[in-house]
Amino acid sequence: MYRKLVATNLSTKFREVVKIQSLPIPVPGQGQLLVRNRFLGINASDINFTAGRYDRRHKPPLDLGFESVGEVAAVGTDCSRGYKLGDAVGVFENGAFSEYMIIREDRAIPLPQCAPSYLPLLLSGLTASVALQCAGEIKEGDKVLVTAAAGGTGQLAVQLAKAAGCHVIGTCSSEEKMALLRQLGCDRPINYKQESLKEVLHNEYPRGVDVVYESVGGEMFTICVNSLAVKGRLIIIGSVSTYKGTSDTLAPPVPVSVTRLLAKSASIRGFFLPHYARQYPSHLAKMVAMVNDGKLKCVVDNGNTGGPFVGLESVSDAVDYLYSGKNCGKVFVQLNQTSKL
Ligand code: NAP
């Protein structure tokens, strides 16, 4: 038997609607792998998923979790990619909050080793890499503002923008995160609890910023829109500050000044990673090469305070931890499952 986490009701109150189910370990079929998950990636959107915000047609019980790193535990028939038992793979599929899962072998992401440090490259890293290039159209010399810069996806956005030759400004909420952002090469970290973001941008960037990687929403979004330079692009990555609300949508409507955008030839661009699936292989390969060359750091957090998060039972704690805003880098849960094949 193995165990997985499911949502039995729809709500943003993750802890209240999840439960652990036990099932027989499945046998992989044609072209499939059985993966034994070791490390689970926690995402801000895990509570959007339990709230049913992504696809109203999905009814509980819902399989949860978007990503994991694990090992091949069994290889199905007619597999052609040479996977062997014990090979490390990244999994980027719904249902990853599970001790074991079946995936198509062509969707497995081969990894050099089974380590949590690869988790940030999956959903978080792909979002940063693809969004900055395809929606942000970043180029050398651009001034790029990253919000929630010390978080799961923000840390990669900071480093990738820096590697592209941009000047990077990053927001965060603690001195610990300020230190991390400096280590990652962020040119102007801003602790918005200590300094006014609006004033820093107004005083230090009077011509505005060229690109904003914006994932916080609410007041932060408004400040960022108003700080765009001529021809500036704000990428809507998310709106984490509003996800805990009970509304059906990710974020309530926010007024935007059309005049201001027009006067600056500026734009606001939505970005949703699944629309860019074709870009995944090239962006993943680029990031793995950067990690191997020591040019990209993947910061992970198993609960620096309140952790370590071990076992499916601790996924709710890990989600709460992310929402406490204390996480430095990507939050993850380690699985030490006892079930054996
Ligand atoms: P994360 O950045 O690891 O954690 C969330 C961070 O947001 C916190 O550490 C906190 O950092 C900041 N934050 C600011 N206001 C907050 C509030 N009111 N409540 C909670 N956190 C707040 O999370 P993540 O999983 O990487 O996700 C970050 C954003 O990226 C989310 O908006 C998510 O939906 C988005 N995302 C979008 C896509 C896409 O395809 N569009 C894909 C992946 C992720 P500070 O306290 O330092 O500000």
Side-chain angles (χ1 to χ4, degrees):
M1 301 293 280
Y2 78 106
R3 303 180 321 144
K4 69 175 182 178
L5 204 61
V6 296
T8 52
N9 265 308
L10 298 183
S11 169
T12 56
K13 292 182 177 154
F14 190 91
R15 184 185 296 278
E16 290 180 15
V17 294
V18 298
K19 76 164 197 191
I20 294 174
Q21 258 185 5
S22 283
L23 295 152
I25 295 178
V27 176
Q30 197 176 22
Q32 292 181 330
L33 303 174
L34 176 70
V35 175
R36 181 179 184 171
N37 284 329
R38 294 291 191 185
F39 305 103
L40 312 179
I42 304 298
N43 287 283
S45 267
D46 287 323
I47 72 167
N48 290 322
F49 199 80
T50 53
R53 283 174 175 156
Y54 284 124
D55 191 338
R56 293 269 145 209
R57 290 166 303 178
H58 293 167
K59 301 288 174 216
L62 298 176
D63 286 348
L64 305 175
F66 302 130
E67 58 185 346
S68 59
V69 163
E71 293 156 341
V72 174
V75 179
T77 55
D78 295 328
C79 286
S80 57
R81 304 208 171 200
Y83 282 108
K84 302 181 304 302
L85 298 194
D87 282 352
V89 286
V91 174
F92 183 20
E93 305 271 343
N94 277 357
F97 290 164
S98 178
E99 291 172 343
Y100 286 89
M101 66 192 294
I102 297 279
I103 59 166
R104 273 174 30 199
E105 68 155 353
D106 60 344
R107 293 183 59 114
I109 300 160
L111 296 175
Q113 52 180 303
C114 187
S117 54
Y118 290 101
L119 275 172
L121 298 184
L122 304 177
L123 205 157
S124 306
L126 280 172
T127 300
S129 184
V130 180
L132 286 173
Q133 183 183 306
C134 300
E137 299 177 71
I138 56 167
K139 56 184 187 316
E140 196 176 344
D142 276 351
K143 292 184 175 64
V144 177
L145 168 61
V146 179
T147 61
T153 189
Q155 60 164 327
L156 275 309
V158 166
Q159 296 178 78
L160 292 168
K162 211 42 214 158
C166 302
H167 174 95
V168 182
I169 309 150
T171 72
C172 69
S173 62
S174 71
E175 287 311 301
E176 195 189 353
K177 291 182 178 192
M178 290 285 280
L180 171 62
L181 288 178
R182 285 189 201 102
Q183 271 174 35
L184 298 180
C186 182
D187 298 288
R188 180 57 167 103
I190 301 168
N191 178 346
Y192 59 82
K193 294 207 167 153
Q194 301 289 333
E195 290 186 281
S196 155
L197 173 64
K198 197 169 162 181
E199 278 174 27
V200 172
L201 292 172
H202 179 77
N203 295 336
E204 298 178 27
Y205 301 92
R207 297 170 75 97
V209 293
D210 301 296
V211 176
V212 187
Y213 186 86
E214 211 299 282
S215 58
V216 171
E219 195 190 342
M220 186 79 89
F221 170 84
T222 303
I223 294 170
C224 292
V225 174
N226 292 340
S227 305
L228 285 171
V230 169
K231 296 186 185 168
R233 291 86 68 194
L234 180 142
I235 321 166
I236 303 176
I237 294 298
S239 178
V240 64
S241 65
T242 64
Y243 291 166
K244 278 192 161 179
T246 49
S247 111
D248 277 0
T249 56
L250 297 177
V254 184
V256 169
S257 166
V258 171
T259 311
R260 201 186 269 256
L261 289 176
L262 186 153
K264 288 185 176 171
S265 299
S267 56
I268 300 176
R269 304 171 177 191
F271 178 86
F272 188 49
L273 184 62
H275 296 151
Y276 294 83
R278 281 205 196 140
Q279 318 276 351
Y280 296 173
S282 60
H283 283 262
L284 266 172
K286 183 184 105 180
M287 289 188 289
V288 170
M290 288 175 77
V291 169
N292 291 343
D293 292 347
K295 292 180 177 155
L296 193 62
K297 294 190 185 85
C298 289
V299 181
V300 290
D301 186 340
N302 188 227
N304 290 336
T305 52
F309 304 124
V310 180
L312 286 176
E313 291 80 0
S314 70
V315 171
S316 297
D317 292 337
V319 170
D320 284 349
Y321 180 60
L322 185 150
Y323 274 90
S324 75
K326 292 192 182 121
N327 62 302
C328 281
K330 176 93 196 169
V331 182
F332 78 94
V333 168
Q334 180 165 357
L335 291 189
N336 283 338
Q337 67 264 44
T338 46
S339 47
K340 293 241 163 52
L341 279 180

